[in-house]
Each structure stands twice: as C-alpha cells, then as structure tokens.
Amino acid sequence: MTQPLRIIFAGTPDFAARHLQALIQSEHQIVGVYSQPDRPAGRGKKLKASEVKALALEHNLPVFQPQSLKNDDALVELKNLNADIMIVVAYGLILPKAILEAPRLGCLNVHGSILPRWRGAAPIQRAIWAGDEQTGVTIMQMDEGLDTGDMLHISRCAINADETSASLYTKLAELGPDALIETVNKLAKGELKAEPQNDEQANYAKKLSKDEANIDWSMDAAQIERNIRSFNPWPVCFTQMGEQTVKIYQAQVVDQTGSAGQVLSSDKTGVVVACGKHAICITQLQPQGKKPMAISDFLNGRSDWVTPGTVLGENNE
C-alpha cells in the first residue's frame, strides 16, 4: 500500500453502510461522511438517521447532511475536507460538476449492475425482470451523466432461477465492498486503467411502480414469474382475487394453457392460472391484513376465491 487515501464517503441505506464499514476497516482515512437528512419513520413519525449516518457516528466520523450539494456553501464545506477521492454508494442526491471535480481524484460510484447493461435507479430489479443470467457490481469514475462514467472494476455473480430482488440485493451487498476496497487500493498505487462504456449497449433501469406490479395476465407466464421475483420485496405483484387484492410472492411457470387470468386448477400444491402463454402455479400469497402464507393455508379459508374457471384480475364480488 502506498500513502493511504483521504476519503469522503456519501451514502444512505444499508447497502451503502456495508461499503462504508469495509472502508473503515481498511488502511484509508475517512475524513467525512455525507448522508441524506434524517427522515420521519415509524408510527410516531420520529426522525430516523440513515444506516450510513448511524455507522459513521458509531465510529466518531464527521457527518454532513446537506439538503443539496448545488450551492456554494456545500462546495466550500466539502473542499475544506481536503479529500483525495469521494466514494458514492446509493446516496440519493445529485452531484453537480463542481462537486465531482472537487476531490483530487474525483468521485467513484458503486453501481449494482454490469455497466452499461442497466443504468439508472433499479438495476438489481431490472436484471431479474429482463431474465438476465448474470449481474454484478461496477465501480466507475463519476461524470455528469446518469451512470455513464468510465469503468474501473467489475465483479460478477450469477442470477439464480429463483432469485428475488431481496436475495440478489444481499449478493451484491456482499460483492460490492470487496470490489470497492480492491479498486481503492489499486487507485492508491496508480494501477487502475479506466474503460469507457459502450453507450449502444446501455439500458435504462427505471424505478418500479405499483401500477407495474398489477399482474397483466395476458403476458407470457415467464415474464409474470420474473415480475413476481423482481418486485419482491417491493412493490410486490398483486391481482384481484375474490373480494380483495392479493399479493403474490411465489409462483412457477407450468406448461398449461387457457384463457388469460382463468384459474385452471386449485389444490394444496398451488393455484394454476392461465397466462397469455403457458400458466403459472401460485404457491405463496398474502391476502389483505394477513402475513404471506403457503397456498395450502390460504385454501383452508378462501378456496371459493380460486375455484377452477374463476378469472383473476376482475372484481368478482
């Protein structure tokens, strides 16, 4: 290791805190931690510090929580930290050009996809949604574009057939910190070579929406099944079933056919519903006011909602 780097870290959720923890345990020096302002949380709506802020305070690191970085005062405050580099992980605020250029070595970002495959807000979810077989973490030099900077390091992992956004998030949260430390160490030694992204291969990973989670039974079963996994744990796919809206947590594609949305069979092994192509077998769901449950438990009280021939996605009151 050459001279340790003076680092500003900017991040907010748990995913970011795991990267900060790795930096704290490294030989580098954290000179400042930026995180979003405290937000109301819980029933009492009391202000709650982010996971990054809590970790920083635990280690007696200086914390900064500006509402914006787009003013002169914020720039002066950041420059006064005299950092070599700023590392940004799920921070949530836009960094203007002046901030990007303030540290001696600029700003690095940890992004949850193999760039340029998925740029934008929801790369983890969109990789599952699209049926990708692998994803990973890219460490890139930040520029003014949306995840368009030159790539410094890529770590890859497989996307399993039963992968949900929650499980893939955990994978990348374990993969990212090691990739970041390796990158920072090489940067300190001057051993990194930046690779430009190919814009022609880029896709935009737009945010998920509740409307998108409303199951369209005319879609192919394979796409619906991927939606169910990619929208778990939020916003969770749902459909109209019997008297209410029911969330769907687990399902498998089956080689059956019928009218889209029609229940083909219903027993303790699952509820089979026809899609635009093939069908899915629902094995775990959540009625309103209840916890997620196995289909066998659901059928004990609500089997009349899914009798064969019933069409889901319609109000059947």
Side-chain angles (χ1 to χ4, degrees):
M1 172 69 68
T2 56
Q3 185 71 23
L5 297 179
R6 290 173 57 84
I7 296 174
I8 295 171
F9 184 86
T12 300
D14 172 69
F15 185 83
R18 299 191 194 196
H19 291 76
L20 176 58
Q21 181 64 54
L23 288 168
I24 290 170
Q25 294 170 341
S26 74
E27 298 180 31
H28 302 284
Q29 181 184 2
I30 310 296
V31 297
V33 174
Y34 280 70
S35 194
Q36 289 227 21
D38 297 354
R39 307 292 189 197
R43 292 184 178 180
K45 296 298 181 182
K46 293 182 179 179
L47 290 179
K48 182 179 183 298
S50 71
E51 288 85 350
V52 164
K53 178 183 178 180
L55 179 61
L57 293 177
E58 181 183 330
H59 290 273
N60 298 312
L61 298 173
V63 174
F64 303 88
Q65 296 179 276
Q67 292 284 349
S68 171
L69 292 173
K70 295 181 178 181
N71 58 68
D72 292 340
D73 290 343
L75 178 60
V76 170
E77 186 174 59
L78 188 140
K79 282 185 173 181
N80 285 341
L81 295 173
N82 193 29
D84 294 306
I85 195 163
M86 182 170 179
I87 294 171
V88 182
V89 186
Y91 179 31
L93 290 184
I94 295 174
L95 273 61
K97 184 178 180 181
I99 294 288
L100 293 173
E101 296 177 347
R104 179 175 65 87
L105 298 172
C107 299
L108 300 189
N109 177 246
V110 180
H111 185 73
S113 83
I114 301 172
L115 288 171
R117 173 62 174 154
W118 291 111
R119 297 172 176 171
I124 296 174
Q125 297 91 334
R126 292 300 171 189
I128 297 173
W129 170 83
D132 293 358
E133 295 183 353
Q134 69 168 353
T135 187
V137 168
T138 303
I139 315 292
M140 67 175 172
Q141 189 83 42
M142 295 180 70
D143 60 17
E144 291 184 90
L146 178 64
D147 302 325
T148 56
D150 289 351
M151 301 177 292
L152 301 174
H153 179 94
I154 296 176
S155 291
R156 306 177 195 284
C157 68
I159 299 177
N160 297 334
D162 61 350
E163 203 85 67
T164 65
S165 289
S167 65
L168 189 53
Y169 172 98
T170 299
K171 274 187 181 179
L172 297 185
E174 293 172 355
L175 193 67
D178 289 341
L180 176 60
I181 296 302
E182 181 180 344
T183 303
V184 173
N185 289 345
K186 287 183 177 179
L187 186 66
K189 297 176 183 178
E191 296 178 353
L192 281 180
K193 182 179 179 180
E195 178 186 350
Q197 295 187 41
N198 184 345
D199 293 340
E200 293 182 358
Q201 297 176 355
N203 298 279
Y204 177 58
K206 69 176 182 178
K207 289 182 180 180
L208 307 184
S209 68
K210 290 186 178 180
D211 287 343
E212 195 176 4
N214 189 355
I215 295 175
D216 178 356
W217 293 104
S218 68
M219 287 183 173
D220 288 1
Q223 182 63 63
I224 293 175
E225 189 272 339
R226 292 199 301 270
N227 287 1
I228 290 170
R229 290 188 288 112
S230 61
F231 298 171
N232 179 356
W234 192 91
V236 185
C237 280
F238 63 90
T239 192
Q240 189 71 25
M241 184 182 290
E243 301 173 356
Q244 63 178 244
T245 298
V246 174
K247 295 179 178 179
I248 311 298
Y249 277 86
Q250 290 181 5
Q252 290 86 41
V253 176
V254 293
D255 189 14
Q256 296 186 37
T257 59
S259 299
Q262 185 179 56
V263 175
L264 302 180
S265 63
S266 175
D267 58 40
K268 63 181 181 180
T269 64
V271 174
V272 177
V273 184
C275 306
K277 181 179 180 182
H278 301 307
I280 64 167
C281 179
I282 301 170
T283 56
Q284 186 185 50
L285 43 65
Q286 180 183 17
Q288 290 175 206
K290 303 290 185 179
K291 293 181 179 179
M293 62 182 66
I295 201 68
S296 55
D297 295 328
F298 172 77
L299 292 177
N300 285 336
R302 297 295 183 185
S303 60
D304 57 313
W305 288 7
V306 287
T307 54
T310 299
V311 178
L312 304 187
E314 298 180 352
N315 192 329
N316 297 308
E317 293 183 357

